[in-house]
Amino acid sequence: MEKYPEVVRLPEGCKGEVMVIQNPKIPGCALSFVWSINVSNDGVIIPKIDLLTKLPEKALGLDEGKVAENAPQSFQSLLRILGVEAAIEALIAAVCVE
């Protein structure tokens, strides 16, 4: 949030489970990262991060390549390849592009 204050919001505060990225020049379109940390009975820590998209119906109608629909699965692939910080940073950078 410090690095991209115009794009990143933490609606639940610093201790919340949601981070929203949105280009202020593109109202109605947002990407939300939702995370949780599960601890198994054996003490194994399992982080889970999901991506949710929010787009107006008009934008979804123009998305012939189903980019928005496939974004959550693509983000999971990006997580495995780049790691958490780099994957989130890549999406923030994409949202900042004009």
Side-chain angles (χ1 to χ4, degrees), residues 19 54 93:
M19 178 171 64
K54 178 184 173 196

Side-chain angles (χ1 to χ4, degrees), residues 12-95:
E12 299 174 352
C14 293
K15 295 183 180 183
E17 298 175 345
V18 178
M19 178 171 64
V20 177
I21 58 174
Q22 181 177 19
N23 187 323
K25 296 178 182 177
I26 309 172
C29 298
L31 299 176
S32 298
F33 300 99
V34 181
W35 59 84
S36 62
I37 297 175
N38 299 315
V39 180
S40 73
N41 292 336
D42 300 328
V44 176
I45 298 171
I46 305 164
K48 182 179 180 203
I49 302 174
D50 292 314
L51 176 69
L52 306 174
T53 59
K54 178 184 173 196
L55 298 170
E57 283 296 320
K58 187 174 181 179
L60 287 173
L62 298 172
D63 187 12
E64 294 176 7
K66 305 275 186 213
V67 173
E69 184 180 317
N70 295 325
Q73 296 85 357
S74 298
F75 177 67
Q76 293 302 314
S77 296
L78 203 59
L79 279 173
R80 286 188 295 279
I81 295 167
L82 299 178
V84 174
E85 188 174 342
I88 292 174
E89 180 93 23
L91 286 181
I92 292 172
V95 168

